């Protein structure tokens, strides 16, 4: 025991020490800030709960997008930076269906059925885009060094953005409102009187259901087993009779479908779509995937939710406590600082990069 | 040997001199302007850039202004001093980087005579110094940030026909304090020079009037989840939230504030950056009741504005979609007027436009009868005849700025 400690101590460099000091400082800031704000009692418990709930809804969307990043990484060891555009393509296309249904009055008479149709179209478009992306842009480069598909992905991201900008005009479009999801639901009306927006609950619950469904798909179906086998060892899987190309296509399809669904949730929650809408959520979802441990399915879900809540609570909790004015503006800085810290101190993420058992 | 070489050189020099004299046009124009001159040969167009926003959340402002310029060019008969006017559209987007990129492109193009733009103050912040350095006159139809015409920071070739936000912020604060009778205000800006300064002017005047500014928050352009920042604001219990930002962040604040506990009855107020149809498209029913300040259309020259609206409807099949079409029209007309004054016309139809002289001609604009009123440029480049009104949105579907009684309804000044 002691022997090992001494061994490790000998290999600690100056950089390590500096990094640990930075981490300690940041942690102290978080603790001091939180302590200040909590003792000051500026926010009621109810308000903290509001922060957490909106964070969870936002986080579940991150989680759905992060799934696509993590599954593709698990199987190909590449970051598909065009995934944000896969996320954008579905809801942007489905907007036109939504608008048509709204004009035909279907959004008013059968809102949930209309929503389902919009959702299906969005998932279909995102799936098609994701699969063709793999087939046209990534498969020809499969044997190439790792940097090559990464740069291709960034190129594909721009290509898709500007294609959709050309197709559907550069302005943003407003999604129709869904009547049954407007307003709030009250929980425990007698004791707690918890009033929560219906939209947030709907987004959170359906995202979590989808996540569970996807997890079950990967864990308990034959195709899912093939995905895991290819992720573990492509060549061995091929020798065992797994069709590697097909499996990779399926992986992209599943990630695309999840992104398409996330896109509709996003469009409903914020009522707007445009060609650039995938950029920031894409980056955040990538952050979430790394936080949870890239290549790890439950990790992506956990990372997404964690990031959503952290972003929502963080500015008020510790930045305001430190006296930072207009703290909310720094929420992206919080998210990306966290990404950097995780990359330095725990590159394998919260749950660890369980490459072999993952996906 | 040496002598022969000398004779040879003398012969060469003489030949060159004779050649020069022979090729020289009879009345030669000599450009003495420190920033150079634009030479436009017969048949060549006068190139004016419309460096506005054509994509993203503020696109309707750029398109609205571009239509104003196009109508102005139609009214000029499409030509100036016998040269056709060519409009070069460049998308500056609504950020400093976009403004910088377009300004650099235009500065490198020696044929550009003047620039109408930019739409957003943040784009102008970077574009104005670059264009001024290149000697290109820039007239913005919709920049309103005080920074741009502050004597300490103003770029010498910069002008605007839109109001200065020192005026707009003051009107907004006075309206909130005196007319709405609110005493506690919260402000939200988005980090852009426009929103930050406008929110600051509002807060300053509101405090001077005796009100209290309980919270000064900020969001980022591109943010979609406003619930956390609204919850933060709700904890301070304001009566009014002033958010002079852009679409789509503004309507998202309006829509999500309805769902944050403690903000059910808070009054919402934005500024001209939100004064477009897109606001009601994204905010939906939550838009009803929101106050927005904007140029006062009833203070425009009534006959000329009516005529303008008629042409607009004929040409584009709809009413103006935002607030700065008439300002753009005036900007183009002002530029045309200045070009006429500054240009040197040669016998063969070639014209030379000395850049500094053009700038001075714009700066000398006085009592210019525009659609938006009587324009006079002050020493800092503010040329507007500023009249600000406060409008209230009363319908989630209708948007008509040409009739003060239709949504948005003019509520102040009475």
């Amino acid at each position: 025991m002691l022997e090992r400690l001494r061994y490790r101590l000998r290999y600690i460099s100056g950089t390590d020490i500096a990094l640990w000091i930075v981490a300690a400082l940041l942690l102290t800031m978080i603790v001091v800030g939180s302590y200040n704000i909590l003792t000051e009692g500026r926010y009621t418990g109810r308000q903290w709960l509001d922060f957490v709930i909106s964070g969870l809804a936002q986080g579940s969307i991150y989680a759905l997008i992060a799934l696509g990043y993590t599954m593709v990484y698990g199987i190909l060891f590449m970051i598909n930076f065009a995934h944000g555009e896969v996320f954008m393509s579905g809801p942007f296309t489905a907007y036109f269906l939504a608008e048509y249904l709204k004009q035909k009055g279907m959004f008013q008479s059968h809102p949930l059925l209309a929503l389902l149709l919009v959702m299906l179209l969005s998932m279909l478009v995102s799936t098609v885009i994701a699969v063709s992306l793999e087939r046209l842009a990534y498969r020809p480069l499969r044997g190439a060094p790792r940097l090559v598909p990464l740069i291709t992905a960034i190129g594909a991201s721009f290509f898709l953005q500007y294609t959709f900008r050309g197709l559907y005009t550069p302005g943003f479009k407003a999604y129709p409102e869904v009547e049954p999801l407007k307003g709030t639901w009250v929980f425990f009306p007698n004791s707690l009187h918890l009033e929560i927006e219906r939209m947030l609950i709907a987004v959170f619950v359906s995202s979590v259901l989808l996540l569970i469904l996807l997890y079950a798909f990967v864990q308990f179906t034959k195709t899912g087993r093939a995905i895991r086998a290819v992720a573990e060892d492509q060549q061995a899987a091929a020798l065992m009779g797994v069709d590697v190309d097909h499996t990779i296509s399926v992986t992209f399809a599943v990630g695309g479908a999840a992104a398409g669904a996330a896109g509709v949730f996003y469009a409903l929650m914020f009522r707007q779509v445009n060609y650039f809408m995938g950029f920031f959520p894409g980056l955040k979802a990538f952050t979430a995937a790394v936080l949870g441990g890239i290549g790890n399915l439950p990790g992506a879900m956990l990372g997404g939710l964690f990031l959503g809540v952290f972003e929502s609570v963080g500015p008020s909790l510790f930045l305001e406590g430190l006296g930072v004015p207009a703290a909310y503006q720094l929420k992206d800085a919080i998210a990306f600082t966290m990404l950097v810290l995780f990359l330095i101190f725990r590159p394998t993420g919260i749950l660890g990069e369980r490459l072999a058992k993952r996906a | 040997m040496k002598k022969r070489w000398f004779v040879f050189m003398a012969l060469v020099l003489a030949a060159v001199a004779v050649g020069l004299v022979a090729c020289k046009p009879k009345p030669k124009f000599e450009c003495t302007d420190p920033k150079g001159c634009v030479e436009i040969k017969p048949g060549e167009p006068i190139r004016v850039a419309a460096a506005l926003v054509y994509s993203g959340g503020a696109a309707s402002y750029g398109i609205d202004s571009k239509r104003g310029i196009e109508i102005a060019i139609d009214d000029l008969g499409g030509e100036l001093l016998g040269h056709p006017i060519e409009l070069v559209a460049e998308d500056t987007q609504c950020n400093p980087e976009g403004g910088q990129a377009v300004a650099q492109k235009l500065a490198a193009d020696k044929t550009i005579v003047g620039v109408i733009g930019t739409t957003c103050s943040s784009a102008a912040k970077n574009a104005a110094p670059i264009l001024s350095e290149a000697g290109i006159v820039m007239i913005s139809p919709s920049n309103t940030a005080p920074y741009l015409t502050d004597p300490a920071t103003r770029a010498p070739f910069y002008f605007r026909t839109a109001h200065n936000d020192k005026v707009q912020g003051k009107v907004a604060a006075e309206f909130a304090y005196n007319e709405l009778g609110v005493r506690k205000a919260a402000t939200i800006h988005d980090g852009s020079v426009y929103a930050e300064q406008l929110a600051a002017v509002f807060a300053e005047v509101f405090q001077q009037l005796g009100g209290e500014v309980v919270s000064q928050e900020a969001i980022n352009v591109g943010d979609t989840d406003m619930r956390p920042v609204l919850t933060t604001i709700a904890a301070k219990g304001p009566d009014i939230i002033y958010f002079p930002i852009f679409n789509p962040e503004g309507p998202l604040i309006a829509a999500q504030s309805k769902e944050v506990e403690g903000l059910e009855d808070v009054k919402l107020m934005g500024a001209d950056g939100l004064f477009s149809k897109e606001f009601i498209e994204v905010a939906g029913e939550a838009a009803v009741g929101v106050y927005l300040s904007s140029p006062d259309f009833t203070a425009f020259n009534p006959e000329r504005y009516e005529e303008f609206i008629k042409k607009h409807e004929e040409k584009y099949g709809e009413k103006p979609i935002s607030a700065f079409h008439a300002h753009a029209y005036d900007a183009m007309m002002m530029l045309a007027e200045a070009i006429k004054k500054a240009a040197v016309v040669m016998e063969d139809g070639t014209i030379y436009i000395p850049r500094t002289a053009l700038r001075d001609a714009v700066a000398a604009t006085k009592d210019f009868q525009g659609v938006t009123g009587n324009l006079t440029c002050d020493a800092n480049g503010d040329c507007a005849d500023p009249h600000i009104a406060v409008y209230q949105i009363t319908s989630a579907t209708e948007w008509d700025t040409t009739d003060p009684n239709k949504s948005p309804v003019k509520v102040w000044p009475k």
Side-chain angles (χ1 to χ4, degrees), chain B residues 359-410:
Chain B
R359 181 225 168 258
D360 292 343
V362 175
T365 303
K366 199 163 181 269
D367 281 327
F368 180 84
Q369 299 299 316
V371 173
T372 59
N374 223 344
L375 306 180
T376 299
C377 293
D378 71 8
N380 302 320
D382 266 321
C383 305
D385 184 4
H387 295 282
I388 303 295
V390 177
Y391 292 80
Q392 184 175 29
I393 296 173
T394 54
S395 157
T397 49
E398 183 192 54
W399 185 269
D400 187 348
T401 56
T402 57
D403 183 346
N405 295 316
K406 284 188 185 160
S407 178
V409 176
K410 185 182 163 189

Side-chain angles (χ1 to χ4, degrees), chain B residues 201-218:
Chain B
V201 172
F202 174 89
E204 195 188 320
V205 178
F206 194 75
Q207 277 165 334
Q208 278 167 9
L209 290 168
E212 186 192 351
V213 177
V214 291
S215 175
Q216 287 177 299
E217 279 295 335

Side-chain angles (χ1 to χ4, degrees), chain A residues 42-43 46-47 50-51 54-55 58 165 170-172 174 177 182 195 197 200 266 269-272 274-275 312 316 320 326-332, chain B residues 54-57 91 189-191 216-220 223-225 227-229 231-232 234-236 247-248 252 256 259 261 278 281-285:
Chain A
R42 194 180 297 175
Y43 298 102
R46 176 59 227 271
Q47 278 158 342
D50 281 348
F51 284 132
S54 72
Q58 175 82 64
R165 178 187 155 146
F172 61 84
E177 282 175 295
K182 275 164 74 177
E195 211 180 319
E197 266 176 75
L200 296 186
Y266 182 92
M269 215 165 130
F270 305 121
R271 294 206 55 217
Q272 49 132 356
N274 77 343
Y275 75 95
S312 165
S316 315
E320 242 180 83
Y328 187 71
Q329 207 183 11
L330 295 174
K331 81 172 172 62
D332 293 342
Chain B
Y54 304 117
S55 64
D91 188 356
H189 70 74
D190 63 2
Q216 287 177 299
E217 279 295 335
I219 54 141
N220 295 307
D223 276 358
T224 46
D225 193 3
R227 288 170 184 89
V229 74
T231 308
T232 309
K236 313 274 171 57
N247 291 318
L252 289 174
Q256 293 172 25
E259 286 138 9
E261 184 161 274
E278 282 161 343
E281 280 168 5
V282 177
E285 276 157 42

Side-chain angles (χ1 to χ4, degrees), chain B residues 33 137 156-157 159 338 341-342 354-365:
Chain B
D33 198 286
V137 164
F157 283 64
F159 299 90
K341 262 195 259 173
R355 294 196 179 277
T356 314
L358 179 63
R359 181 225 168 258
D360 292 343
V362 175
T365 303

Side-chain angles (χ1 to χ4, degrees), chain B residues 58-403:
Chain B
S60 61
Y61 289 87
I63 294 163
D64 190 45
S65 295
K66 183 162 173 262
R67 288 174 173 180
I69 301 172
E70 284 168 350
I71 293 174
I73 294 176
D74 285 353
D75 283 1
L76 289 164
E79 57 102 45
L80 206 58
L81 302 170
H83 293 263
I85 303 173
E86 184 189 328
L87 195 63
V88 185
E90 292 285 349
D91 188 356
T92 59
Q93 299 174 306
C94 199
N95 54 50
E97 297 78 21
Q100 175 149 358
V102 167
Q104 269 159 353
K105 189 174 165 190
L106 293 174
D109 186 343
K110 296 294 170 222
T111 64
I112 297 289
V113 177
V115 174
I116 307 291
T118 60
T119 301
C120 295
S121 300
S122 39
K125 195 179 168 189
N126 280 17
I130 296 171
L131 291 173
S132 292
E133 185 59 40
I136 299 176
V137 164
M138 171 182 182
I139 308 177
S140 167
S142 61
N143 294 160
T144 58
Y147 172 92
L148 296 166
T149 54
D150 189 291
T153 45
R154 182 224 173 179
F157 283 64
Y158 178 84
F159 299 90
R160 64 173 157 211
T161 55
H163 53 264
N164 187 318
D165 276 341
K166 283 181 183 163
V167 182
Q168 181 172 218
K170 186 162 176 274
V171 170
E174 284 169 352
F175 168 75
Y177 190 88
N178 296 329
E179 178 69 15
L180 295 177
V182 293
R183 293 293 176 264
K184 282 191 201 165
T187 63
I188 305 177
H189 70 74
D190 63 2
S192 68
V193 61
Y194 158 76
E196 200 171 340
Q197 291 201 309
L198 188 46
V201 172
F202 174 89
E204 195 188 320
V205 178
F206 194 75
Q207 277 165 334
Q208 278 167 9
L209 290 168
E212 186 192 351
V213 177
V214 291
S215 175
Q216 287 177 299
E217 279 295 335
I219 54 141
N220 295 307
V221 174
D223 276 358
T224 46
D225 193 3
M226 307 297 177
R227 288 170 184 89
V229 74
L230 288 168
T231 308
T232 309
I233 286 175
K236 313 274 171 57
D239 305 319
I240 187 169
I241 302 177
Y242 184 64
F243 52 109
I245 54 175
F246 289 104
N247 291 318
E249 292 84 16
L252 289 174
I253 286 183
Q256 293 172 25
S257 70
K258 297 280 176 263
E259 286 138 9
V260 172
E261 184 161 274
L263 293 182
E264 293 87 355
D265 301 318
V266 78
K267 296 207 164 48
L268 297 172
M269 185 166 182
D272 50 4
L274 293 170
F275 198 83
S276 78
K277 205 176 171 198
E278 282 161 343
F279 187 87
I280 55 174
E281 280 168 5
V282 177
E285 276 157 42
V288 175
V290 173
Y291 298 98
L292 297 174
S293 57
S294 161
D296 187 350
F297 301 108
T298 57
F300 287 1
N301 182 328
E303 288 126 48
R304 293 198 50 195
Y305 190 49
E306 208 170 289
E307 198 191 310
F308 177 92
I309 299 282
K310 229 178 83 196
K311 283 179 195 155
H312 190 285
E313 275 185 288
E314 263 169 36
K315 196 168 161 101
Y316 305 105
E318 59 180 337
K319 288 187 166 136
I321 51 175
S322 178
F324 293 103
H325 40 273
H327 295 82
Y329 179 94
D330 285 353
M332 184 64 220
M333 285 301 195
M334 245 171 72
L335 183 65
E337 202 58 37
I339 290 175
K340 275 191 223 161
K341 262 195 259 173
V344 179
V345 186
M346 310 307 284
E347 264 173 35
D348 62 347
T350 305
I351 59 172
Y352 292 93
I353 305 169
R355 294 196 179 277
T356 314
L358 179 63
R359 181 225 168 258
D360 292 343
V362 175
T365 303
K366 199 163 181 269
D367 281 327
F368 180 84
Q369 299 299 316
V371 173
T372 59
N374 223 344
L375 306 180
T376 299
C377 293
D378 71 8
N380 302 320
D382 266 321
C383 305
D385 184 4
H387 295 282
I388 303 295
V390 177
Y391 292 80
Q392 184 175 29
I393 296 173
T394 54
S395 157
T397 49
E398 183 192 54
W399 185 269
D400 187 348
T401 56
T402 57
D403 183 346

Side-chain angles (χ1 to χ4, degrees), chain A residues 192-223:
Chain A
L192 277 168
H193 196 81
L194 210 53
E195 211 180 319
I196 302 175
E197 266 176 75
R198 291 182 184 191
M199 183 62 82
L200 296 186
I201 297 177
V203 166
F204 181 69
V205 170
S206 21
S207 305
V208 170
L209 280 179
L210 260 176
L211 288 169
I212 292 171
L213 212 70
L214 281 172
Y215 186 68
F217 170 76
V218 172
Q219 287 299 325
F220 304 117
T221 64
K222 210 173 161 190
T223 326

